[in-house]
Amino acid sequence: MKKYILHIFLFISIIGFAQDGMVKAEIDTANIRIGEQFQLKISVNETKNVIIPKLLLKGLEVVDSTKVDTIKNSLIRKYILTGFDSGAFYIPQQQIFVKNQAYLTDSLLVNVATVAIDTTKVKKFPIKSIKKEPYTFDDFKIYLYILLAALAIIGFWIYWFVIRKRKEEEDGPTYRTLPPYEEAIYRLNELDEKLLWQNNKVKEYYSELTEIVRGYIERELKVPALENTTDEVLEMLRNFKQADTIQTSQETLDKLRSLLREADLVKFAKSKPLALEIEEDRKDAQEIVSNLKPKPIIEADDELE
């Protein structure tokens, strides 16, 4: 208990020492209007081992502060304060430490008054209607983006389904199916221009020559002449001749038999006919195409007539 009483007396002595002038707080005015600034100055009669903590304020605000100045044997720090609410506000006691001992400044009262307005001298204006803000690009950019996206989609569809399709149709090759006889003659002339047998490509020449003749028979008579063997093709044509469904002569059928068998010998037995024989086979191929045709179908009305 005696120890606590001793501490109390020591604290009172410290405060008394502070009040004796070790630390001091002053303001340049005790009355301000809202927003006005005033100065707080804290002085310490010591220059060594002095600590000035951050100000503790209620209702007032620090606008600025200066660095600690040393004048003779004292330390001085100044603060610029202001208030934005009307009323009476205390700057509470500030605790200053000097050589590890605490000293308290005096508390200070500051009155913050409102600014009086003389309404009789204030010019009055009529109440104005609400005005709309002017339009800016940001107000319309979402619609612009939607429009551009829609145009891009429409453009893509037009290109994909109209322009591209039309271009493919224009660029694509156009073919006209020739009648069997015209196609065969055209291909025979193309074969002559290739000069295959003249360049020792006799096998290739006979393969293409018989393919042209077989293709003509298949298209004209509507039989699988390209897939069947030589004997099968000749057998079909003999049956057609006996049934009187084709318009040809026995000489034409004999030339066809000779041509197909000669081609088989060249392709499978490596036979090498003479140039004169090759030219003769070429003439026979054209005669076969010209003289082998189906008989026209006679309608019943035509028979009655």
Side-chain angles (χ1 to χ4, degrees):
M1 177 64 85
K2 291 181 180 180
K3 185 177 181 180
Y4 292 136
I5 294 172
L6 180 62
H7 285 174
I8 292 171
F9 279 114
L10 180 60
F11 179 73
I12 293 172
S13 65
I14 290 172
I15 295 176
F17 186 69
Q19 292 174 350
D20 287 341
M22 176 59 74
V23 296
K24 185 178 180 181
E26 306 176 84
I27 53 176
D28 57 357
T29 179
N31 298 287
I32 64 169
R33 289 178 294 183
I34 291 178
E36 284 186 340
Q37 298 177 357
F38 65 97
Q39 180 178 278
L40 167 66
K41 183 174 71 173
I42 295 178
S43 303
V44 182
N45 291 331
E46 183 60 62
T47 58
K48 295 180 180 180
N49 298 327
V50 177
I51 298 176
I52 303 177
K54 184 179 178 180
L55 286 183
L56 300 175
L57 299 174
K58 293 183 180 179
L60 301 173
E61 296 183 14
V62 177
V63 178
D64 196 6
S65 63
T66 63
K67 294 182 179 180
V68 177
D69 293 331
T70 302
I71 300 176
K72 295 183 180 180
N73 294 323
S74 299
L75 294 180
I76 296 176
R77 187 166 190 180
K78 297 178 181 179
Y79 300 87
I80 304 299
L81 307 180
T82 187
F84 296 102
D85 294 321
S86 60
F89 301 97
Y90 275 99
I91 300 176
Q93 292 178 317
Q94 304 298 316
Q95 193 175 48
I96 311 297
F97 294 92
V98 180
K99 295 180 180 180
N100 297 326
Q101 292 187 4
Y103 297 87
L104 297 176
T105 64
D106 294 332
S107 60
L108 303 171
L109 178 64
V110 178
N111 294 306
V112 181
T114 57
V115 179
I117 300 175
D118 189 354
T119 57
T120 60
K121 296 181 180 180
V122 176
K123 186 177 181 181
K124 296 181 180 180
F125 297 93
I127 299 174
K128 295 183 179 180
S129 60
I130 300 174
K131 291 184 178 181
K132 294 183 178 180
E133 294 184 0
Y135 291 110
T136 62
F137 173 75
D138 291 339
D139 297 326
F140 301 99
K141 65 180 182 181
I142 183 63
Y143 302 106
L144 179 61
Y145 295 153
I146 294 173
L147 177 61
L148 291 176
L151 291 176
I153 294 173
I154 294 171
F156 172 78
W157 280 90
I158 292 174
Y159 168 77
W160 188 259
F161 291 102
V162 179
I163 298 175
R164 188 183 66 90
K165 189 175 181 181
R166 184 181 301 169
K167 188 176 180 181
E168 288 180 355
E169 292 175 354
E170 292 175 355
D171 295 342
T174 56
Y175 298 102
R176 182 175 68 89
T177 304
L178 295 173
Y181 174 75
E182 293 182 16
E183 181 186 10
I185 298 300
Y186 177 79
R187 292 186 64 189
L188 286 172
N189 293 331
E190 276 191 332
L191 179 61
D192 294 339
E193 294 176 359
K194 292 179 181 180
L195 301 175
L196 292 177
W197 68 268
Q198 292 89 338
N199 291 291
N200 296 322
K201 297 181 180 180
V202 179
K203 183 177 179 180
E204 290 86 343
Y205 177 81
Y206 272 93
S207 294
E208 191 165 343
L209 181 64
T210 54
E211 183 184 351
I212 293 171
V213 175
R214 285 171 176 268
Y216 166 77
I217 295 172
E218 183 165 306
R219 288 194 61 201
E220 190 67 72
L221 303 182
K222 297 179 176 57
V223 294
L226 290 170
E227 300 175 0
N228 291 338
T229 63
T230 297
D231 292 337
E232 289 173 341
V233 172
L234 294 173
E235 181 67 24
M236 282 190 298
L237 293 179
R238 278 196 297 268
N239 293 335
F240 288 158
K241 178 68 175 172
Q242 292 175 2
D244 199 23
T245 57
I246 58 174
Q247 184 177 334
T248 188
S249 64
Q250 186 61 43
E251 182 183 1
T252 301
L253 294 178
D254 293 340
K255 288 183 177 181
L256 175 61
R257 180 187 302 108
S258 176
L259 175 62
L260 294 180
R261 295 197 184 284
E262 182 68 32
D264 288 342
L265 290 173
V266 172
K267 289 187 288 184
F268 303 113
K270 297 182 180 181
S271 175
K272 293 184 179 180
L274 300 175
L276 189 62
E277 294 175 333
I278 296 174
E279 292 176 352
E280 190 65 27
D281 287 336
R282 164 66 178 83
K283 293 178 183 178
D284 290 345
Q286 186 160 343
E287 288 183 11
I288 293 167
V289 170
S290 301
N291 297 321
L292 181 59
K293 299 183 183 297
K295 266 194 174 181
I297 299 175
I298 300 174
E299 300 290 340
D301 294 340
D302 295 337
E303 293 179 355
L304 290 176
E305 290 177 1

